[in-house]
Amino acid sequence: MTELFAEVLPLSGIPNALVYRSEEPIKEGILVRVSIKNKPHLGLVSKVYEDSPDPNFKFLPILEPIYPNPIVNEDEIKLIQWLTRYYGCTTLAALETALPTLIRKGKPFPVNYSLRVTQLQ
C-alpha cells in the first residue's frame, strides 16, 4: 500500500488545515484523530493526495479514523470552507456550526443520520 496524504481541518483552535499521512485508504469527509503538539485532537479530512505536498517534509501519521464512513460529502466540505471565507470566521467556528455536537466530540452517532447540503449559492 502506498502512502496517502490528507488535509485535516482540526476541531480545535488551529486556524488552518494541517497535512498528515496515512498508510491505510482514507476518504474525504471522515473524522480522524490526529496529534497536534503531542496531544490527540479530532479533525475532518477535507482533501486527500496521492503524492506528498512537500517531499522534503516528514508528515505525522493520522492516528485513527473515528467513524468508518464519511460524515460530510465534498459539497459540505466546500460549504464549510465557504463559511470561513464569507464570514471571516475560523475553521473551528464553521465546523461547530456545520457538525452536530456528538460528532465534534467523537461520540457514537446513529449511522442512519447524515448531513446534506440542499443549496449552495
Side-chain angles (χ1 to χ4, degrees), residues 9-10 12 21 24 36 50 68 73 76 83 101 114 121:
L9 301 171
S12 61
R21 67 179 165 80
E24 300 295 322
I36 300 174
E50 290 184 9
N73 63 31
E76 292 155 351
L83 282 170
T101 303
S114 63
Q121 295 181 3

Side-chain angles (χ1 to χ4, degrees), residues 6-79:
E7 271 186 21
V8 176
L9 301 171
L11 297 178
S12 61
I14 308 297
N16 300 318
L18 302 173
V19 178
Y20 290 84
R21 67 179 165 80
S22 175
E23 294 180 5
E24 300 295 322
I26 195 162
K27 298 176 186 174
E28 291 179 4
I30 68 167
L31 192 66
V32 294
R33 191 175 318 279
V34 295
S35 178
I36 300 174
K37 293 188 177 183
N38 294 323
K39 293 183 181 176
H41 290 270
L42 296 178
L44 180 70
V45 174
S46 62
K47 188 178 275 189
V48 176
Y49 304 97
E50 290 184 9
D51 297 320
S52 174
D54 184 351
N56 298 322
F57 191 81
K58 182 174 177 168
F59 294 96
L60 292 175
I62 290 175
L63 300 177
E64 66 177 332
I66 302 299
Y67 301 112
N69 298 314
I71 59 170
V72 294
N73 63 31
E74 183 180 342
D75 288 336
E76 292 155 351
I77 292 170
K78 287 179 183 177
L79 175 63

Side-chain angles (χ1 to χ4, degrees), residues 9-10 12 14-17 80 84 89-96:
L9 301 171
S12 61
I14 308 297
N16 300 318
I80 292 166
T84 62
C89 65
T90 63
T91 302
L92 178 59
L95 289 169
E96 286 177 344

